[in-house]
Amino acid sequence: MHIDDTIRSRKSVRAFRPDPVPRDLMEEILELASRAPSGTNIQPWKVHVVAGEMRDRLVAEVMAHRENDPQDAKAEFPRTSKRKEPYTGRLRTLGKEMYGLLGIPKGDKAANWRQWGRNYEFFDAPVGLIFTIDKDLDAMSFIDIGIFMQTLMLAAKARGLDTCSQGAWNNFWSVTRRVLDVPDDEYIIAGMSLGYADETQPVNTLVAEREPLDSFATFHGFD
Ligand SMILES: Cc1cc2nc3c(=O)[nH]c(=O)nc-3n(C[C@H](O)[C@H](O)[C@H](O)COP(=O)(O)O)c2cc1C
């Protein structure tokens, strides 16, 4: 696949087929992703790759904890859910389109709760990835991990695999820490679902819109 086609065809998939992904394919994708750049080449990314029984155990424990203690849906590091325009408009557009495809009416809190919970089932993907970062690193290293994640997603896409990045996994981090034995000096910053898209699911037809170039780029010094 041409790199442009890989970039354009990657999109967040939120319904996967159960078909397993072999370990050697995961190793190939992760090794390629490690070609991602990082400030001063510190390569701060760390990732737990879960499949099979371990994936099922992580899902079961987080889902059970979420039912018992829904208020624990918070990250271990500073985050805010407060947004201003133009961001609120964009996230509402995404939500409207996604929940429309899922057939979830606005205001249906129970259905919303169930759908948000699909994050913690990795949307049925056979592979879950949990990204962690040393607590004493700063914002620059969060950038590095974002680049690593995108490189990973493109490497996966080029091999017929789909993904969904998931900030959702920084919630309920105490359970993930315990199940995966994540050291106390690391934050759990994100997760990712990875596998083969279930093309029969309407939610996977979602193509999230993008703002035009002139809304985010300011050119200086061109003719
Ligand atoms: C850092 C990050 C966190 C995200 N967290 C979630 C999440 O928790 N759940 C989810 O369904 N999608 C999540 N997404 C996917 C975004 O909603 C998606 O990337 C965005 O709507 C653009 O759509 P696209 O990826 O299909 O191009 C996340 C994406 C990123 C980059």
Side-chain angles (χ1 to χ4, degrees):
M1 226 197 268
H2 187 281
I3 182 75
D4 289 11
D5 297 327
T6 311
I7 292 169
R8 286 198 187 277
S9 61
R10 184 220 55 83
K11 59 182 184 173
S12 296
V13 158
R14 297 181 179 89
F16 291 83
R17 303 198 314 255
D19 313 49
V21 179
R23 179 177 171 145
D24 55 358
L25 183 52
M26 279 315 303
E27 288 182 358
E28 182 180 307
I29 290 167
L30 288 161
E31 192 278 328
L32 192 54
S34 75
R35 295 309 307 170
S38 57
T40 59
N41 200 28
I42 67 163
Q43 304 162 65
W45 41 77
K46 291 183 185 174
V47 58
H48 294 252
V49 189
V50 297
E53 281 178 15
M54 196 51 155
R55 173 213 172 279
D56 295 348
R57 190 183 144 208
L58 178 62
V59 166
E61 295 216 20
V62 171
M63 288 298 276
H65 181 83
R66 181 174 182 262
E67 284 303 321
N68 290 335
D69 190 2
Q71 301 306 324
D72 197 31
K74 45 184 179 284
E76 197 182 4
F77 54 90
R79 281 203 62 185
T80 176
S81 55
K82 288 193 191 124
R83 297 276 186 273
K84 58 178 185 178
E85 287 297 349
Y87 311 119
T88 39
R90 292 175 193 165
L91 72 86
R92 280 199 197 110
T93 300
L94 176 75
K96 209 169 147 197
E97 287 177 351
M98 195 191 313
Y99 282 77
L101 287 168
L102 288 161
I104 297 175
K106 197 171 186 291
D108 185 339
K109 285 191 177 162
N112 264 282
W113 172 253
R114 274 197 303 279
Q115 179 56 32
W116 186 242
R118 298 283 294 139
N119 274 286
Y120 306 105
E121 297 172 328
F122 293 113
F123 303 109
D124 295 334
V127 177
L129 298 124
I130 299 292
F131 300 88
T132 70
I133 186 170
D134 279 19
K135 283 182 178 170
D136 58 2
L137 293 174
D138 66 9
M140 192 61 73
S141 300
F142 280 70
I143 295 176
D144 297 336
I145 295 189
I147 298 173
F148 175 75
M149 289 171 68
Q150 169 72 341
T151 310
L152 190 167
M153 289 191 281
L154 295 179
K157 187 71 212 177
R159 287 160 179 76
L161 287 155
D162 283 287
T163 52
C164 184
S165 293
Q166 294 170 271
W169 278 94
N170 56 43
N171 297 331
F172 312 116
W173 52 267
S174 61
V175 183
T176 309
R177 178 184 301 292
R178 175 172 49 74
V179 174
L180 300 181
D181 208 10
V182 176
D184 284 341
D185 60 358
E186 292 174 22
Y187 288 129
I188 292 161
I189 54 167
M192 187 184 288
S193 300
L194 184 147
Y196 298 95
D198 181 346
E199 306 288 3
T200 67
Q201 294 300 314
V203 70
N204 286 340
T205 62
L206 175 64
V207 178
E209 61 184 43
R210 295 296 194 268
E211 297 297 318
L213 179 65
D214 62 8
S215 73
F216 62 87
T218 307
F219 288 84
H220 303 266
F222 287 83
D223 291 334

